[in-house]
Amino acid sequence: MTIQYHGDACIRLTGKTPAGEFTVLTDPYDAKATGLKTIRPSAADLVLSTTGALPEFEEGPFRVVSPGEYEVRGVMVKGISVGTTTIYRIDVEGLSIAHLGNLAAPLSTEVQEKLGDVDVLLIPVGGHGALTAKQAGELIEQIEPRIVIPLQYKLADAKLPYDGPEAFCKEVGCSPKPEDDKLRIAKKDVPAEEMWVRVLGVS
C-alpha cells in the first residue's frame, strides 16, 4: 500500500485487494480556501470525512461522513464518533490504519478500545483546532502504533492556522524535514518493536 499526504488532514491510500485496486481519500479540502494543490476526489473509490462535510465534486466515489461500518472494494472502514468529529479505523492489506484528522481533544479509553491495535496512526499535531504537539505525543504513547504520520501542521504557502511540525518532532524525537513524498508499506514491513515516525512531503 502507498500512503501520500496532500496537506491539512487529507491522505490518499492506494493499493490492491482481491476486489481489485483501490484508492481511499480522507478529508479532501477546498484548494482555494487552503492554498493547497487541487486534488481530484472523484478519482477515488472511497472518500471519508472526519468533519461530516465534503466539497462538491463529481459523482463516483462512495462517501462516508458519519460513524458506522462500511466496506468498499475490500477496504473495511469503521467510523467512530468523538464529539463533533468522526475518526476512522481502516483495515486493508492486513494493515490497520487509524485516521484522527481534525481531532481536537484526547481520546477516552472507550474510544481507544474501539480503535483496537493500530499499525499506522495518522494524527494531527499542529494545534489551533487540532491536537497540539504535546497532546499528540501523549496519545501516541497510549495507542502505541508501529508507524506514525503527522497531519495538520503549517505548510509553506498554505492558508492553514496550524503550528509547524517542529514541536511535535521534538516531542517524539524525529526530524521535521520530510524524507519522502510517499510511504510504501506492507504488513511484513511493519516494525515489531520500535516505532517509526514519518513526516511526508506534500504531494
Side-chain angles (χ1 to χ4, degrees), residues 100 103 105-108 112 115 121 123-124 131 133-145:
L100 309 186
L103 184 68
L107 295 179
S108 67
Q112 290 182 45
L115 270 180
L121 180 64
I123 186 169
L131 293 177
K134 183 175 178 56
Q135 288 174 323
E138 291 172 348
L139 188 52
I140 288 167
E141 288 184 0
Q142 294 166 13
I143 295 176
E144 297 184 331

Side-chain angles (χ1 to χ4, degrees), residues 93-163:
E93 293 189 0
L95 293 165
S96 57
I97 303 154
H99 186 282
L100 309 186
N102 291 294
L103 184 68
L107 295 179
S108 67
T109 301
E110 180 184 1
V111 170
Q112 290 182 45
E113 289 175 352
K114 289 181 180 179
L115 270 180
D117 293 335
V118 173
D119 293 316
V120 182
L121 180 64
L122 311 171
I123 186 169
V125 303
H128 304 277
L131 293 177
T132 64
K134 183 175 178 56
Q135 288 174 323
E138 291 172 348
L139 188 52
I140 288 167
E141 288 184 0
Q142 294 166 13
I143 295 176
E144 297 184 331
R146 304 271 49 90
I147 300 170
V148 176
I149 298 175
L151 312 174
Q152 291 180 278
Y153 52 83
K154 185 175 180 61
L155 297 167
D157 301 323
K159 305 171 187 175
L160 300 171
Y162 312 122
D163 295 331

Side-chain angles (χ1 to χ4, degrees), residues 28-99:
Y29 48 72
D30 183 312
K32 289 183 179 179
T34 60
L36 294 168
K37 179 181 176 181
T38 300
I39 55 174
R40 294 177 57 232
S42 58
D45 300 297
L46 174 62
V47 178
L48 310 177
S49 171
T50 59
T51 63
L54 287 171
E56 291 186 11
F57 54 88
E58 298 174 5
E59 293 294 332
F62 187 85
R63 311 173 196 201
V64 176
V65 297
S66 58
E69 296 188 3
Y70 310 86
E71 180 181 358
V72 177
R73 296 187 66 79
V75 181
M76 307 294 296
V77 174
K78 178 163 67 173
I80 304 168
S81 178
V82 181
T84 59
T85 302
T86 301
I87 64 172
Y88 293 97
R89 176 189 169 102
I90 304 164
D91 287 279
V92 64
E93 293 189 0
L95 293 165
S96 57
I97 303 154
H99 186 282

